[in-house]
Amino acid sequence: MNISIIGATGYSGIELIRLLLTHPEANIVAVYSNSQTGKAMQEVYPHLTHIFTDDLAEIDCGRIRNEADVVFIATPSGVSGKLVPQLMDGKLKVIDVSGDFRLATPELYTRWYGKETAAQEYIDQAVYGLSEWNADAIRETKLLANPGCYPTATLLSLLPLLKADLIDGKSIIVDAKSGVTGAGRGLSLGTHFCEVNESISAYKVGKHQHTPEIEQTLTQLTGKEAVISFTPHLVPMNRGILTTAYASLKEGVTAEQVAEAYADAYEGKPFVRLRPGAYPKTKEVYGSNYCDIAWHVDERTGRVIVLGVIDNVVKGAAGQAVQNMNLMFGLPETTGLAFTPVYP
């Protein structure tokens, strides 16, 4: 597969390069960046010296359509919505890692992101790429909306319970913590070392843009209404997300039913590792495409507590994008991704 990457200098873009360089069916034909056009990738990222030396080109949709089988868009929000209408032509398949096609309407996107995206006709063509839950539709699409990092961990944690009708969908509370790479490579006061180090802080309380993505997908994939309280936190580490989700169990639901729901949902799913009763750590999935999930049934309060951990740059972005590419091209979804987490 000939592959182009738009936004190759961001953290998701550089992770895509790392994964695709060892993918047996992938050939990176071009990398694009309007902000650093003309620079060599090894100049921007010296760790690529003598490994990947291509120069960054200015974004050219016509060239991409002619030379690529698939293009990954790993740009800031609001960019891919303008690019995709120029790319949707012929055989080219588009995987949007940035989020412009995750929400159901342009109006909903503008309300939560404060920017404009593509017209409804393009949003309607996009398939939401939660690999473990939407594989059949992913295989048939030409435009894929790769899930956000927080939604990936949250949805994989909660979908089995809501699908099996074991929890009250309006009782869900999600406490989420992310490493600083989740904010991207661009400079901002809130991600400076002195601001982040030796500290933990909540942000965008009650208004994070991933909230409607989580609610929308829970409802679409289960047919049951879901309303969540979602609070993200920034922690002083590079990679990783830990989500702790709380939900009220329906009357009479047992611990055995909860365990069965997870076992049924993820049987044969290679990148979800079930660890009931454990306390998964972000370190245990570092650098990998795994999502580790554990749950605890609290009989005293009638709630279930679900812990989910991922590497936000891999399973939360580039890794899941490659997993979706594999599905779109009829490859085993583990192709190029079957590596062990980095530890310690």
Side-chain angles (χ1 to χ4, degrees), residues 325-343:
M325 179 191 73
N326 289 337
L327 290 168
M328 292 167 76
F329 283 89
L331 298 171
E333 60 190 286
T334 56
T335 306
L337 295 169
F339 40 79
T340 304
V342 176
Y343 200 94

Side-chain angles (χ1 to χ4, degrees), residues 249-302:
L249 291 165
K250 291 197 170 181
E251 187 71 28
V253 170
T254 65
E256 289 75 18
Q257 288 175 291
V258 170
E260 184 178 351
Y262 282 106
D264 289 346
Y266 295 124
E267 181 181 3
K269 306 299 183 184
F271 292 118
V272 176
R273 303 191 298 188
L274 301 180
R275 301 173 55 192
Y279 301 98
K281 303 174 183 177
T282 57
K283 176 65 73 175
E284 293 161 354
V285 297
Y286 192 96
S288 81
N289 200 50
Y290 290 108
C291 175
D292 286 7
I293 297 174
W295 60 91
H296 301 259
V297 173
D298 187 344
E299 295 180 355
R300 184 182 67 85
T301 62

Side-chain angles (χ1 to χ4, degrees), residues 4-338:
S4 294
I5 302 171
I6 299 176
T9 59
Y11 290 137
S12 295
I14 194 62
E15 193 72 352
L16 279 166
I17 291 173
R18 181 178 79 89
L19 299 178
L20 293 169
L21 284 175
T22 58
H23 191 291
E25 303 294 336
N27 174 43
I28 302 174
V29 294
V31 287
Y32 296 90
S33 170
N34 276 352
S35 65
Q36 302 196 61
T37 300
K39 290 185 178 180
M41 281 301 303
Q42 61 184 15
E43 179 183 354
V44 181
Y45 283 103
H47 73 287
L48 293 178
T49 300
H50 302 320
I51 298 172
F52 187 77
T53 60
D54 290 19
D55 289 343
L56 289 153
E58 186 175 357
I59 298 171
D60 183 337
C61 292
R63 176 185 169 187
I64 294 169
R65 289 197 308 270
N66 288 330
E67 68 183 11
D69 299 306
V70 57
V71 58
F72 292 90
I73 306 178
T75 56
S77 59
V79 176
S80 64
K82 298 179 177 64
L83 293 175
V84 163
Q86 304 174 58
L87 294 167
M88 293 296 292
D89 181 46
K91 65 180 178 59
L92 183 66
K93 298 185 179 183
V94 179
I95 298 176
D96 179 33
V97 185
S98 72
D100 282 16
F101 295 86
R102 295 173 189 158
L103 300 183
T105 67
E107 293 76 20
L108 187 61
Y109 180 90
T110 299
R111 188 188 317 158
W112 285 88
Y113 282 81
K115 300 177 181 180
E116 293 185 358
T117 187
Q120 188 70 56
E121 64 178 293
Y122 293 100
I123 293 175
D124 291 343
Q125 295 178 47
V127 166
Y128 189 71
L130 191 66
S131 308
E132 285 75 16
W133 285 84
N134 220 12
D136 289 343
I138 291 167
R139 290 186 180 98
E140 301 301 322
T141 192
K142 289 179 59 180
L143 174 58
L144 184 126
N146 210 59
C149 50
Y150 282 130
T152 295
T154 302
L155 291 166
L156 291 175
S157 295
L158 290 171
L159 277 166
L161 301 177
L162 196 61
K163 182 72 173 178
D165 202 25
L166 302 182
I167 59 172
D168 178 356
K170 296 182 180 181
S171 71
I172 298 169
I173 298 172
V174 180
D175 177 298
K177 298 175 177 66
S178 174
V180 183
T181 51
R185 203 181 189 209
L187 297 177
S188 67
L189 178 62
T191 57
H192 283 191
F193 177 82
C194 291
E195 302 291 332
V196 174
N197 189 44
E198 298 292 342
S199 180
I200 182 170
S201 60
Y203 64 100
K204 293 187 178 179
V205 177
K207 57 182 180 181
H208 194 277
Q209 66 271 19
H210 285 165
T211 304
E213 179 182 342
I214 296 169
E215 291 180 343
Q216 171 183 283
T217 308
L218 285 171
T219 299
Q220 287 178 343
L221 293 180
T222 68
K224 299 174 176 64
E225 186 178 0
V227 179
I228 70 168
S229 294
F230 176 74
T231 303
H233 301 77
L234 190 64
V235 297
M237 62 184 186
N238 292 340
R239 294 171 177 246
I241 280 179
L242 166 66
T243 58
T244 306
Y246 306 82
S248 297
L249 291 165
K250 291 197 170 181
E251 187 71 28
V253 170
T254 65
E256 289 75 18
Q257 288 175 291
V258 170
E260 184 178 351
Y262 282 106
D264 289 346
Y266 295 124
E267 181 181 3
K269 306 299 183 184
F271 292 118
V272 176
R273 303 191 298 188
L274 301 180
R275 301 173 55 192
Y279 301 98
K281 303 174 183 177
T282 57
K283 176 65 73 175
E284 293 161 354
V285 297
Y286 192 96
S288 81
N289 200 50
Y290 290 108
C291 175
D292 286 7
I293 297 174
W295 60 91
H296 301 259
V297 173
D298 187 344
E299 295 180 355
R300 184 182 67 85
T301 62
R303 298 191 188 99
V304 61
I305 304 164
V306 190
L307 308 174
V309 294
I310 62 170
D311 184 318
N312 60 291
V313 188
V314 189
K315 184 59 171 170
Q320 186 159 220
V322 172
Q323 185 179 356
N324 284 320
M325 179 191 73
N326 289 337
L327 290 168
M328 292 167 76
F329 283 89
L331 298 171
E333 60 190 286
T334 56
T335 306
L337 295 169

